[in-house]
Amino acid sequence: LLISMSLWYEGLIPGGMPKRISDEIWTWYFYAAVFAVLFQLFVYACFRFYRNLWSYTSLEDIIRVVIANTLIFIGIYIYDYYVLSHMELMVLPRRLLALSWTINMILFAVSRFGYRLIKRFFIVIGHWVTRKAGSKRVMVIGAGSTGYGVIRHILNNAKSYEDRVPIIVVDDDPKKNDTTIHGIRVVKGTDNIPELAKMYAIEEIIVAVPSATNIQLKKIMDKCSETECSLKVVPPLSDVSDGVHHILRDVKITDLLFRDEIDIDVKSISGYLKDKIVLVTGGGGSIGSEICRQISVFSPNTLIIFDIYENNAFDLANELKSKYGNINIIVRIGSVRDKKRVAAIFEEFRPTVIFHAAAHKHVTLMQDCPGEAVKNNVFGTLNVAECADEYKAERFVLLSTDKAVNPTNVMGATKRVTELVIQEMAKKSKTKFMAVRFGNVLGSNGSVIPTFQRQISEGGPVTVTHPDIVRYFMTIPEASKLVLQAAGLGRSGKIFVLDMGEPVKINDLARNLIKLSGFVPDKDIKIVYTGLRPGEKLYEELIMAEEKEDMQVTYHNKIFVTKAVEHDSALFAKQLESLKYAAENKPMDVYRILKEILPNFNNAENISN
């Protein structure tokens, strides 16, 4: 008000009246100013302006400032019209209040937003003069609200984005081509990522399209993998335009799957699990524990976690008890190789559904210990299967592997024999016996991903056996859900094969994981090729040639049912006896007997195809 009066009566404003400010004007100002100060304090307090952190001012705060100041001057106008005008004071031009409102907004903006303006000024000058020497030159993928938020945080030196300078934004929306975000140019075409990265000397790419599907993300990743840039990802579905600082997302294993996870038929699964007694062997392992978690969702009466390693089983039981208090969670320690212990579990609980996940699965270790692989995988499975038959369980589900198809190692051969065991049991039992075959599971104990992550955390090198080796991959939750789904199909004696999508090159997997960890392959982290290990092959298969003839797709469309391969049951029984004797007395004979049982077993020391 004071500045407005001075400007008005000094004639500095068009339409003003240049003359000395009279005593009558000062009297009016005194009454108006006292009210204005008190009323302004009241309004600002109601809008909580005195508690704002103005260094984090947003567009919403600016709108609130405009509303608050407008209310203040409406109040002053009403006070002047209904109070001061009746006190026989000098009537001032109403335009003076409009001028005062304008000046008040400018002063408020400078005092509240000046910190940000000055800081931004020096940051921009610093970027322009020094190009932030030593900082990473960043390409942001995505010109939406998330990309905008990333650039804003980088320019504001947000803690989680410091030591970076944004250079260019890439988006596929033609409407955004040649526009700018905070002065950073937006160009069209994720197909041009490699060329743009080279042109602008980009060192890091930040993918800021959290709403993208895995298919869309794969396309972007494929292009990013052609550069030498490190890679960061913004958390999915985060709104970085709301003024909150977001940390760039850590590497998630599902980022490397690059396909949408499957849905399951909840009704069919609930029908055979609800209120039932369920036994999971190997329940403390990475796959077994996730199966236990998925089972618990469907409210079984009792869930028995059977494992030889007590620590994992104990932790899992505590987790499930705290989350599913209505389920009777029981842990029993023991080995499937101990028939008496297995029988005792069946006698105590009489389970109706059994998921058999207990197995030795490390290929190289089982090559060196073939007798132990047979004892645990083959005869451990036989022990549990015979108890399931004897105690009249409703269904028995074996977890198998793609390594059982045309096996080239002892582990795969023993799993193929267990499939035959299940098919034999189905011929003579009222229990529904079935096997579920799937490929590698991302993140399971001993799998390639944790190994790569450990090697990256140690600074490398990352070891890959062969540059062309490929594998099928699936996440642990996805594999577990499909196992439950396959079990609900209830076709005894069948082998269910899960649709694993397209095979993934291990070399690409390693390189993408290095990029997602913020490093550059072959520069920050070296990749070393060690050569194929004994029993390892370049390409895994999910179905044998003789199974394809009568292969059927289930109604779920992600699960296939294979044709059972016919074999002589009497001969198979004798071969099992010989295999058991060899495992216990002459382990090196195991190779020969497995070859007799499985003519397609090729146990060459180095398999290349």
Side-chain angles (χ1 to χ4, degrees), residues 525-542:
I525 303 290
K526 298 292 184 183
I527 295 179
V528 176
Y529 301 106
T530 58
L532 291 174
R533 295 168 294 187
E536 188 175 38
K537 54 184 177 179
L538 282 180
Y539 307 99
E540 295 287 7
E541 306 161 272
L542 289 170

Side-chain angles (χ1 to χ4, degrees), residues 375-429:
K375 292 175 190 176
N376 197 65
N377 291 1
V378 177
F379 294 100
T381 300
L382 184 60
N383 289 340
V384 181
E386 288 178 343
C387 286
D389 173 53
E390 181 181 349
Y391 287 88
K392 297 179 174 55
E394 292 180 4
R395 63 189 73 206
F396 177 103
V397 185
L398 166 71
L399 273 64
S400 189
T401 171
D402 58 357
K403 293 176 177 60
V405 179
N406 300 319
T408 58
N409 51 66
V410 170
M411 193 281 283
T414 57
K415 294 300 284 185
R416 175 55 187 156
V417 174
T418 61
E419 292 179 353
L420 298 178
V421 167
I422 292 308
Q423 290 179 336
E424 282 298 310
M425 293 297 301
K427 293 178 181 179
K428 58 185 179 181
S429 176

Side-chain angles (χ1 to χ4, degrees), residues 41 84 137 239 291 316 352 364 441 450 462 574 585 608:
L41 286 169
L84 298 184
R137 295 171 63 85
D239 181 10
I291 287 177
L316 176 63
T352 51
T364 54
V441 178
V462 170
K574 291 180 180 180
N585 301 283
S608 60

Side-chain angles (χ1 to χ4, degrees), residues 62 139 178 181 224 299 317 333 396 408-409 428 457 519 558:
I62 295 174
M139 172 192 293
D178 278 333
I181 299 177
C224 291
S299 303
I333 304 302
F396 177 103
T408 58
N409 51 66
K428 58 185 179 181
S457 67
F519 301 104
K558 287 287 184 178

Side-chain angles (χ1 to χ4, degrees), residues 306 332 338-351 387 391:
F306 184 57
R332 288 293 182 265
D338 185 347
K339 179 68 176 291
K340 290 183 179 179
R341 180 57 177 154
V342 173
I345 299 297
F346 274 82
E347 179 65 34
E348 182 180 5
F349 298 105
R350 296 184 178 269
C387 286
Y391 287 88

Side-chain angles (χ1 to χ4, degrees), residues 277-285 292 302-317 321 328-336 338 340-351 358:
I277 300 172
V278 183
L279 168 66
V280 180
T281 68
C292 289
T302 302
L303 175 60
I304 306 145
I305 303 168
F306 184 57
D307 203 291
I308 196 169
Y309 184 55
E310 71 273 19
N311 291 345
N312 287 349
F314 177 78
D315 291 340
L316 176 63
K321 285 176 182 177
N328 186 23
I329 308 291
I330 295 171
V331 174
R332 288 293 182 265
I333 304 302
S335 172
V336 293
D338 185 347
K340 290 183 179 179
R341 180 57 177 154
V342 173
I345 299 297
F346 274 82
E347 179 65 34
E348 182 180 5
F349 298 105
R350 296 184 178 269

Side-chain angles (χ1 to χ4, degrees), residues 318-331:
N318 287 339
E319 173 194 330
L320 296 179
K321 285 176 182 177
S322 63
K323 192 172 183 179
Y324 304 99
N326 61 321
I327 302 174
N328 186 23
I329 308 291
I330 295 171
V331 174

